[in-house]
Amino acid sequence: MSKKPNKWALVDPTPVDLATRMSSKESVLGVPTLSLPHEESILEHYFTLLSQASFDKAKELVDTEKDGHKFSNAASWGEILQCLSQLATAEKNYSNLVFLGQKRFTHIVRSKDSAKSIYSMLFQEFQRMENFLTPLLRESSTHLETDQLLAHISGQLSYFVRARIKMIEFYEQLASLGAMRQWMNFDDLIMILEEIVAENVTAFHHPLGTSLKTVFSLECESLSHLLKALLLMTTWSYMQCVLQLHQAHSKLNTWGTMIPIKEVKSSFGRSSSKSNPFPPIYTWMYKLKGILLSKFALYFYDVLAKQTIPSEMKANLSKVPEDFVGRIQAFQKKSDATNIYLVLDAEGLSGRVGEGGYHHPNKYAEPTQGMETYPPIYSYPMERTINSTRWHTIIMIMNSSTECTDKIQFMFEKATDKKPQTSYFIIRVDIRIALVVIFESKKNERDSTVNTFMTDLASQLRCQTVMAGLKNFARS
């Protein structure tokens, strides 16, 4: 008798199919999974789905398993699944930055509904499960291997959700500091991030959760590298800044490759389109990187210009999210400003810092003195040189106030035999760097065009705009 040939079809199993097949000890391909226990298969796939930002699928997987957990006689398995279902929802809200959304009717909505409260509840539940299962292991319970696995997972997830609480507080602090009209000190924030990463590496190390741990580390480390780059720009440290931006770029790209592209089927015909699969927290971090690249292009314009030709430099600047160089040049032509500078306060820094670019750290350089301690790192339209006729005034104004706020300092000097009448507008854009706009004419101190340009540019260069914009990325 002739038999029909077997036909195989590759399908993407739904979480329901996966849970059903795993419950019957079969893999997705129909091959018995003798090497991997049932509970471990569910947990491994659940953590993988969370790492891929597939939160709804992860929740559906554990909910389906919870409804049919009769395949496992361990009573604690059902309780763990209930916590994992809530964790999937919490992770979705976290990635969507829901905790930063506008809190309306706070007198009606209880605090127990907040993201931090949900994670706190899960922290207590995972600790309770660990404390409950650990004594059973000593008593040699019937389901020793399963209880041992769940005890380990519960204990490590308690550390994970505690780290999430710290990250929620971190993002809340970033958003609130961004709303302040002054430069932020990122030293403490970087230290907090590094502590969170260090704790997570040692505390959450179970092989089944490797994918989730990897994504968590990529998020924290990417943000840490970005903030370090921002801090290094304030001291005009070219090479160190390049390395931090490269690290951030690499880790963000690695994180992005872990999130699969989502296909959206059209209502008409069979055509489909690709939607943006990245959660708001990733999109915001990518925007922060873009702003930092724009700032880097301005601060190290002369260094970069030496490595290419003017046409290519202009083309490269047009590709960054914010062309600060083009904006400065357009403002200078519109306002007829004599010159626009970015001036660095190099007091206490390396003697070669004013030269820009990379210098061997062991190469000796004479300490800067006098006006050379305040070199211009960018100048338009004149070349980047110290103008002795104006530099004494610029240094005096910069030293009169070290506060990095939106306050613009103004000074007008009458004409003399050596120089024409001059109006100075100065604002601190970083703790060591000031934006200076000079007019060889008498200008009104409250000139709206000049003041608006300088305050807006300072806010963006401090990254206040993108920090405060965290709340705008929140998606319910």
Side-chain angles (χ1 to χ4, degrees), residues 95-344:
S95 294
N96 289 342
L97 299 171
V98 173
F99 56 91
L100 289 176
Q102 294 182 350
K103 298 178 177 63
R104 299 178 181 178
F105 310 111
T106 53
H107 61 290
I108 299 176
V109 180
R110 303 294 297 176
S111 60
K112 66 180 181 180
D113 298 324
S114 66
K116 195 183 301 183
S117 298
I118 295 174
Y119 277 116
S120 298
M121 180 273 296
L122 287 172
F123 174 72
Q124 295 174 359
E125 283 298 305
F126 285 128
Q127 278 196 325
R128 183 187 66 80
M129 291 300 300
E130 182 187 22
N131 296 333
F132 170 74
L133 292 170
T134 303
L136 295 179
L137 300 178
R138 303 191 192 100
E139 299 172 4
S140 299
S141 62
T142 307
H143 308 283
L144 180 60
E145 292 185 3
T146 301
D147 289 341
Q148 186 177 20
L149 170 66
L150 299 183
H152 286 317
I153 292 295
S154 297
Q156 294 183 27
L157 282 176
S158 67
Y159 286 104
F160 175 76
V161 297
R162 186 177 67 175
R164 278 291 193 236
I165 294 173
K166 292 183 179 180
M167 287 303 299
I168 287 176
E169 294 172 349
F170 184 87
Y171 285 115
E172 288 175 339
Q173 189 174 3
L174 270 186
S176 61
L177 288 174
M180 299 174 62
R181 311 311 294 176
Q182 59 184 13
W183 185 82
M184 298 178 284
N185 190 340
F186 296 100
D187 289 301
D188 294 338
L189 295 177
I190 293 171
M191 190 179 301
I192 292 172
L193 269 180
E194 291 178 342
E195 289 177 356
I196 294 174
V197 172
E199 290 177 2
N200 186 62
V201 168
T202 57
F204 190 55
H205 53 76
H206 199 284
L208 294 179
T210 300
S211 56
L212 183 60
K213 172 187 172 182
T214 300
V215 168
F216 181 85
S217 298
L218 287 172
E219 173 196 342
C220 297
E221 291 171 6
S222 298
L223 187 53
S224 177
H225 287 303
L226 291 173
L227 295 182
K228 286 178 181 178
L230 182 58
L231 195 61
L232 287 165
M233 286 187 204
T234 65
T235 57
W236 215 44
S237 304
Y238 173 77
M239 193 62 185
Q240 296 92 324
C241 191
V242 169
L243 294 175
Q244 293 298 330
L245 287 173
H246 176 72
Q247 287 287 337
H249 175 77
S250 299
K251 292 184 184 298
L252 282 173
N253 281 354
T254 303
W255 182 7
T257 57
M258 296 181 69
I259 303 175
I261 301 295
K262 298 178 181 178
E263 296 286 343
V264 179
K265 294 183 179 180
S266 174
S267 303
F268 305 97
R270 296 182 179 180
S271 61
S272 62
S273 60
K274 296 180 180 179
S275 64
N276 180 16
F278 304 114
I281 197 169
Y282 179 90
T283 306
W284 172 81
M285 211 172 296
Y286 215 85
K287 181 177 181 178
L288 174 60
K289 189 200 77 170
I291 294 297
L292 289 178
L293 288 175
S294 304
K295 180 175 180 176
F296 180 86
L298 171 63
Y299 277 29
F300 299 101
Y301 177 83
D302 285 357
V303 179
L304 298 174
K306 292 176 182 178
Q307 304 175 31
T308 184
I309 57 177
S311 59
E312 289 185 359
M313 185 66 182
K314 186 176 181 180
N316 290 332
L317 288 174
S318 65
K319 296 177 183 179
V320 295
E322 294 290 340
D323 184 2
F324 292 126
V325 173
R327 190 186 304 181
I328 289 175
Q329 294 177 356
F331 170 78
Q332 187 273 332
K333 294 175 182 178
K334 178 181 178 181
S335 63
D336 290 328
T338 304
N339 206 264
I340 299 176
Y341 296 105
L342 284 175
V343 181
L344 170 68

Side-chain angles (χ1 to χ4, degrees), residues 272-454:
S272 62
S273 60
K274 296 180 180 179
S275 64
N276 180 16
F278 304 114
I281 197 169
Y282 179 90
T283 306
W284 172 81
M285 211 172 296
Y286 215 85
K287 181 177 181 178
L288 174 60
K289 189 200 77 170
I291 294 297
L292 289 178
L293 288 175
S294 304
K295 180 175 180 176
F296 180 86
L298 171 63
Y299 277 29
F300 299 101
Y301 177 83
D302 285 357
V303 179
L304 298 174
K306 292 176 182 178
Q307 304 175 31
T308 184
I309 57 177
S311 59
E312 289 185 359
M313 185 66 182
K314 186 176 181 180
N316 290 332
L317 288 174
S318 65
K319 296 177 183 179
V320 295
E322 294 290 340
D323 184 2
F324 292 126
V325 173
R327 190 186 304 181
I328 289 175
Q329 294 177 356
F331 170 78
Q332 187 273 332
K333 294 175 182 178
K334 178 181 178 181
S335 63
D336 290 328
T338 304
N339 206 264
I340 299 176
Y341 296 105
L342 284 175
V343 181
L344 170 68
D345 179 359
E347 183 70 33
L349 299 180
S350 168
R352 310 193 75 90
V353 69
E355 299 176 16
Y358 173 75
H359 304 282
H360 194 282
N362 295 332
K363 189 174 182 180
Y364 177 75
E366 290 288 341
T368 56
Q369 297 179 353
M371 291 189 294
E372 293 181 355
T373 310
Y374 296 84
I377 62 175
Y378 176 81
S379 175
Y380 186 80
M382 296 163 57
E383 293 184 359
R384 188 168 60 88
T385 55
I386 294 177
N387 188 325
S388 58
T389 59
R390 301 195 182 107
W391 230 247
H392 288 291
T393 304
I394 292 174
I395 295 173
M396 181 187 67
I397 298 174
M398 287 181 62
N399 287 334
S400 64
S401 176
T402 57
E403 293 183 3
C404 192
T405 65
D406 276 351
K407 183 179 179 181
I408 296 177
Q409 297 172 279
F410 173 81
M411 178 175 286
F412 172 72
E413 287 185 334
K414 295 181 179 180
T416 63
D417 296 337
K418 295 183 178 180
K419 61 180 179 180
Q421 58 181 353
T422 309
S423 298
Y424 299 86
F425 293 83
I426 298 181
I427 186 173
R428 289 264 182 176
V429 295
D430 274 330
I431 198 67
R432 283 182 173 271
I433 298 176
L435 172 64
V436 181
V437 180
I438 296 175
F439 296 90
E440 289 186 348
S441 60
K442 186 173 182 179
K443 299 288 290 186
N444 187 343
E445 179 180 357
R446 298 180 181 179
D447 188 300
S448 60
T449 302
V450 178
N451 280 262
T452 300
F453 164 76
M454 296 184 71

